[in-house]
């Protein structure tokens, strides 16, 4: 990767259509690299999630057109919530296969074109329209179902195994899970105070998050990402030519993808595919609805390709798809940052927090493996087709050591960041991509 | 003709579109954007295709799952599918029990636009004895504080079917009444 650019994510950008948003991010990326002009780009991969939101088919062709890249090759990429992550990997493949030397990955979404609850309806069309959508058409409801079972498996049956009244035990476990999810929300919103691209930076307390509006029990408003308008681009290039464009390129050393059933109801109860540093889970029915087998599969493929055997030790940071505070915790486990079942105590340990920031509660092991230092989806926003590329750009700047320049604030720069992972997640976990980026200088 | 009204908050633009169908948005830099309301409605022709017997079954008060036809597999799916996810063989229809347990649940205070008027509503994944997968349904006659993982529940069917998955819902099973002492 030799350059990147992001528009500020916002609830609505009425003064920019999708073409102009991409153009702004693209111009930023061209300007940020040396000698990088349109004539040196061999082609593009362009991503957006929903034709319903754009109400403009072939919108990717209009981006290609607006950027002045015709008649070069281009393909539109769509892979649900993982659209941006998949676009990044499609550009990687175009370069790695030798088909292109320089490939543009560009993504966008314009979600402000409909009211919020209509937007939820469009998103929920990414659930089975025979069996799932007609029950409420509500993704937050699906994620609430998943975290309820996650809490049951990993808090009720462990920390609260001693409570004999079933209802009381489950209520106590849910309260504990909600408190810990709120710590994740506080982290991501607070980190984003130092990220000028973020949509909802703010200082919150655990109580603020818990007391925000209940959306789908137990998930509250501040534990959920929002609809956004935004665009992001990443420019990938062959290793041989990278130094033409920057003296600080970043190498893509691993890519992985995974899938799972569209319907939660169909998820199997089988065995855990183990990470290299993991012991077996003899009693765990996996993935059930509590874990993301697609995320685990994508992670293991990417780690294997990148030669990573102990991700928590070998990664400097992770930018992961926290559409919900719950799915951030579930994803720690899928990505083997901790064992299955240890996600809640992993948060309490402080490991995914940044050491320089005061979150209002103890974070003893802060800095061990910062997760979503940028603020993640919860605080940055989630313009679907751009999100995975936004993660790539933030990871690129982290590895270059240029966060201070791009954010005009050095707080979020992870000292000596050498290798990071980005994770893009779709549906109820029906497809996930993980890519590993490493400092290339 | 007068220019559309100008607003600096997008929320106000949305409200004006409801009233007059057009508005001008002015951002912090003074750039004006013309915004119009553009209605979009469709009647989609949705076929249940191979899932048809399930939906017809609901109208007869039956819950039909799929059973893999391969003798070496025989997996039973609580949410039906025409072919087995495990081995790829065609499935046949099998009646599911109308009683099951809550595998997971939530109470939705919101929903997508089409379902907002039905809030709050409960969703639950149901597990059945003899089936290897689950069924997602609405759960009625229960409030948030009643519900727990493992709760016994049973199916109810809409006497006036709409041919939708909402033709079936589950309710908490009443505990068996304690046997009365004979006089």
């Amino acid at each position: 990767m030799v350059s990147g650019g992001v528009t500020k994510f916002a609830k609505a950008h009425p003064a920019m259509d999708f073409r102009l948003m991409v153009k702004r991010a693209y111009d930023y990326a061209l300007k940020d690299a040396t000698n990088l002009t349109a004539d040196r780009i061999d082609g593009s991969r362009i991503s957006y999630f929903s034709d319903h939101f754009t109400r403009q088919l072939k919108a990717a062709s209009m981006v290609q057109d607006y950027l002045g890249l015709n008649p070069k090759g281009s393909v539109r990429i769509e892979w649900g919530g993982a659209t941006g992550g998949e676009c990044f990997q499609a550009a990687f493949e175009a370069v790695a296969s030798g088909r292109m030397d320089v490939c543009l990955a560009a993504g966008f979404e314009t979600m402000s074109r409909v009211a919020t609850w209509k937007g939820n309806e469009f998103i929920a069309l990414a659930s089975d329209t025979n069996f799932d959508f007609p029950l409420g058409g509500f993704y937050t409801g699906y994620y609430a179902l998943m975290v309820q079972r996650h809490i049951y498996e990993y808090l009720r049956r462990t920390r609260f195994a001693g409570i004999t009244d079933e209802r009381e035990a489950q209520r106590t476990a849910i309260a504990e899970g909600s408190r810990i999810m709120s710590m994740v929300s506080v982290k991501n919103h607070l980190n984003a105070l130092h990220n000028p691209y973020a949509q909802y930076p703010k200082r919150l307390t655990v109580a603020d998050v818990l007391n925000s509006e209940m959306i789908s029990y137990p998930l509250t408003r501040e534990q959920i990402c929002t609809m956004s308008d935004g665009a992001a681009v990443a420019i990938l290039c062959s290793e041989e030519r990278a130094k033409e464009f920057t003296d600080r390129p970043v190498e893509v050393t691993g890519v992985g993808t995974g899938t799972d059933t569209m319907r939660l109801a169909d998820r199997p109860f089988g065995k855990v595919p183990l990470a290299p540093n993991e012991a077996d889970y003899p009693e765990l029915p996996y993935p059930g609805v509590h874990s993301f087998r697609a995320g685990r599969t994508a992670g293991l493929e990417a780690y294997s390709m990148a030669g990573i055997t102990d991700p928590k030790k070998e990664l400097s940071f992770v930018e992961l798809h926290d559409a919900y505070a719950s799915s951030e915790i579930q994803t720690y486990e899928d990505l083997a940052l901790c064992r299955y079942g240890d996600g809640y105590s992993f948060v309490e340990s402080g490991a995914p927090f940044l050491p320089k920031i005061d979150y209002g509660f103890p974070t003893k092991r802060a800095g061990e493996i910062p997760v979503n230092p940028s603020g993640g989806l919860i605080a940055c926003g989630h313009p679907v087709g751009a999100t995975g590329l936004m993660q790539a750009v933030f990871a690129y700047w982290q590895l270059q050591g240029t966060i201070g320049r791009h954010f005009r604030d050095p707080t979020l720069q992870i000292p000596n960041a050498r290798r990071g992972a980005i994770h893009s997640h779709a549906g109820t976990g029906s497809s996930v991509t993980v890519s590993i980026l490493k400092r290339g200088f | 003709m007068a220019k559309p009204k100008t607003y600096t908050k997008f929320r106000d633009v949305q409200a004006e579109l409801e009233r007059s169908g057009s508005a001008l948005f002015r951002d912090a830099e003074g750039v004006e954007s013309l915004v119009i309301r553009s209605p979009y409605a469709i009647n989609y022709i949705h076929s249940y295709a191979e899932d048809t017997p399930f939906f017809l079954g609901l109208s007869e008060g039956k819950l039909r799952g799929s059973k893999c036809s391969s003798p070496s597999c025989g997996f039973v799916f609580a949410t039906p599918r025409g072919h087995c996810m495990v081995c790829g063989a065609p499935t046949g229809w099998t009646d599911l029990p109308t009683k099951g347990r809550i595998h997971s649940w939530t109470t939705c205070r919101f929903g997508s636009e089409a379902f907002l008027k039905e809030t709050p509503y409960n969703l639950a994944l149901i597990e059945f004895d003899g089936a290897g997968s689950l069924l997602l349904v609405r759960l009625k006659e229960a409030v948030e504080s009643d519900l727990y993982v493992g709760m016994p529940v049973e199916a109810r069917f809409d006497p006036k079917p709409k041919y939708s998955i909402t033709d079936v819902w589950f309710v908490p099973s009443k505990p068996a009444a304690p046997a009365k002492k004979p006089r």
Side-chain angles (χ1 to χ4, degrees):
Chain A
M1 181 164 171
V2 293
S3 199
V6 185
T7 62
K8 181 180 168 65
F9 291 175
K11 181 76 187 165
H13 275 315
M16 289 192 279
D17 70 5
F18 59 91
R19 294 168 295 184
L20 183 54
M21 284 196 299
V22 176
K23 172 73 172 157
R24 294 260 162 87
Y26 170 74
D27 283 348
Y28 189 97
L30 291 191
K31 212 173 142 198
D32 197 49
T34 314
N35 305 318
L36 188 51
T37 46
D39 59 303
R40 292 174 189 238
I41 293 174
D42 297 318
S44 69
R45 299 292 178 258
I46 299 176
S47 65
Y48 64 104
F49 160 55
S50 171
D51 294 319
H52 295 82
F53 277 115
T54 49
R55 209 185 152 194
Q56 168 67 66
L57 301 187
K58 293 284 278 165
S61 286
M62 293 171 75
V63 169
Q64 179 83 350
D65 176 343
Y66 199 76
L67 299 183
L69 291 176
N70 290 329
K72 297 170 185 183
S74 181
V75 175
R76 180 240 175 131
I77 305 292
E78 186 279 309
W79 207 213
T83 291
E86 183 54 39
C87 182
F88 182 78
Q89 295 194 357
F92 164 82
E93 283 160 5
V95 173
S97 66
R99 189 172 179 187
M100 294 187 198
D101 277 348
V102 183
C103 182
L104 167 72
F108 68 87
E109 209 73 44
T110 46
M111 305 175 84
S112 67
R113 284 5 182 207
V114 293
T116 297
W117 300 113
K118 183 55 102 178
N120 271 275
E121 199 173 306
F122 287 173
I123 290 168
L125 287 169
S127 62
D128 187 311
T129 52
N130 280 7
F131 292 96
D132 295 344
F133 178 83
L135 293 167
F138 195 33
Y139 252 90
T140 305
Y142 309 149
Y143 276 80
L145 288 166
M146 291 188 272
V147 75
Q148 285 276 69
R149 189 70 197 190
H150 191 263
I151 288 170
Y152 179 77
E153 293 287 346
Y154 295 140
L155 288 174
R156 160 63 181 116
R157 286 180 158 176
T158 57
R159 269 184 216 196
F160 303 105
I163 304 178
T164 47
D165 181 89
E166 192 56 45
R167 272 199 187 84
E168 186 199 337
Q170 291 189 20
R171 284 303 182 280
T172 310
I174 292 166
E176 183 79 335
S178 296
R179 179 183 70 80
I180 299 169
M181 282 195 279
S182 300
M183 294 167 74
V184 170
S185 168
V186 168
K187 166 173 74 69
N188 294 355
H189 283 104
L190 256 163
N191 289 355
L193 278 174
H194 306 280
N195 177 354
Y197 293 96
Q199 187 173 346
Y200 286 117
K202 54 187 158 184
R203 179 171 289 280
L204 290 171
T205 64
V206 166
D208 293 337
V209 179
L210 287 173
N211 295 331
S212 64
E213 198 171 12
M214 184 59 71
I215 305 298
S216 188
Y217 183 82
L219 294 172
T220 64
R221 187 175 289 276
E222 298 292 1
Q223 294 164 345
I224 305 170
C225 71
T226 59
M227 310 259 174
S228 313
D229 283 1
V233 310
I235 296 171
L236 282 85
C237 158
S238 63
E239 210 175 321
E240 300 77 54
R241 290 190 52 196
K243 288 278 165 83
E244 285 177 36
F245 306 114
T246 175
D247 53 7
R248 284 192 274 183
V250 162
E251 194 181 347
V252 183
T253 57
V255 290
T257 57
T259 58
D260 216 326
T261 66
M262 186 73 165
R263 302 186 294 229
L264 281 182
D266 291 344
R267 298 279 157 90
F269 299 95
K271 299 278 286 171
V272 183
L274 296 178
N277 58 334
E278 253 182 345
D280 195 15
Y281 299 87
E283 300 295 322
L284 181 64
Y286 183 88
V289 299
H290 52 80
S291 290
F292 300 115
R293 188 172 55 157
R296 168 53 61 117
T297 306
L300 293 188
E301 185 190 359
Y303 292 156
S304 159
M305 184 173 164
I308 292 173
T309 53
D310 186 346
K312 186 167 147 256
K313 286 211 181 96
E314 295 172 58
L315 294 170
S316 308
F317 65 91
V318 177
E319 288 284 347
L320 65 78
H321 193 101
D322 58 326
Y324 302 87
S326 51
S327 55
E328 173 158 334
I329 294 173
Q330 289 161 309
T331 299
Y332 297 151
E333 298 171 349
D334 300 324
L335 294 183
L337 304 180
C338 62
R339 272 181 73 76
Y340 278 109
D342 289 348
Y344 297 101
S345 47
F346 184 72
V347 175
E348 292 175 299
S349 78
F353 291 77
L354 289 167
K356 273 192 270 181
I357 293 178
D358 175 10
Y359 295 94
F361 45 77
T363 51
K364 205 169 159 203
R365 280 162 47 199
E368 255 180 40
I369 173 73
V371 177
N372 287 326
S374 68
L377 282 57
I378 282 183
C380 291
H382 182 19
V384 185
T387 305
L389 290 165
M390 164 197 83
Q391 295 172 325
V393 176
F394 292 159
Y396 175 70
W397 292 340
Q398 281 288 3
L399 295 164
Q400 279 196 315
T402 56
I403 284 284
R405 177 159 62 81
H406 292 287
F407 285 4
R408 299 180 294 282
D409 179 340
T411 312
L412 301 179
Q413 178 66 53
I414 291 155
N416 200 30
R418 303 203 63 83
R419 180 151 63 174
I422 57 174
H423 162 275
S424 195
H425 170 120
T428 53
S430 53
S431 56
V432 177
T433 70
V434 173
S435 305
I436 309 295
L437 281 70
K438 190 180 168 195
R439 195 191 279 188
F441 53 94
Chain B
M1 181 132 177
K3 266 169 72 167
K5 288 185 179 163
T6 304
Y7 298 91
T8 56
K9 284 187 183 146
F10 195 63
R11 197 177 300 127
D12 297 335
V13 168
Q14 287 174 296
E16 181 60 37
L17 295 186
E18 292 301 314
R19 286 191 290 270
S20 69
S22 62
L24 277 166
F25 173 78
R26 184 159 51 222
D27 70 12
E29 281 90 51
V31 178
E32 281 189 341
S33 302
L34 178 59
V35 186
I36 62 161
R37 184 178 61 198
S38 177
Y40 182 23
I42 45 171
N43 282 321
Y44 195 74
I45 300 162
H46 187 97
S47 172
Y48 285 122
E50 69 272 21
D51 294 333
T52 295
F54 173 83
F55 292 93
L56 289 176
L58 296 184
S59 69
E60 298 159 12
K62 282 188 182 148
L63 212 47
R64 287 179 175 149
S66 300
K67 184 174 166 57
C68 175
S69 63
S70 162
S72 60
C73 178
F75 197 95
V76 175
F77 297 91
T79 308
R81 51 193 301 143
H83 285 80
C84 179
M85 182 173 80
V86 183
C87 74
T91 58
W93 293 95
T94 184
D95 284 350
L96 292 172
T98 53
K99 293 186 175 185
R101 289 169 307 278
I102 294 180
H103 184 78
S104 193
W105 64 276
T106 182
T107 303
C108 297
R109 308 284 176 90
F110 294 89
S112 60
E113 193 175 87
F115 303 97
L116 275 181
K117 59 185 182 300
E118 297 169 26
T119 58
Y121 55 89
N122 304 312
L123 296 179
L125 284 157
I126 308 297
E127 52 188 47
F128 300 91
D129 286 338
S133 70
L134 311 169
L135 180 68
L136 181 61
V137 293
R138 287 273 186 99
L139 198 82
K140 298 184 186 176
E141 296 174 31
V143 294
E144 201 174 277
S145 56
D146 296 335
L147 300 170
Y148 63 97
V149 170
M151 186 184 210
V153 290
E154 56 193 64
R156 294 282 184 272
F157 298 91
D158 195 335
K160 292 180 189 159
K162 323 257 177 329
Y163 303 109
S164 158
I165 184 69
T166 51
D167 284 350
V168 62
W169 62 89
F170 278 64
V171 301
S173 294
K174 298 269 186 302
K180 281 182 185 166
K181 272 186 192 169
R183 277 174 192 264

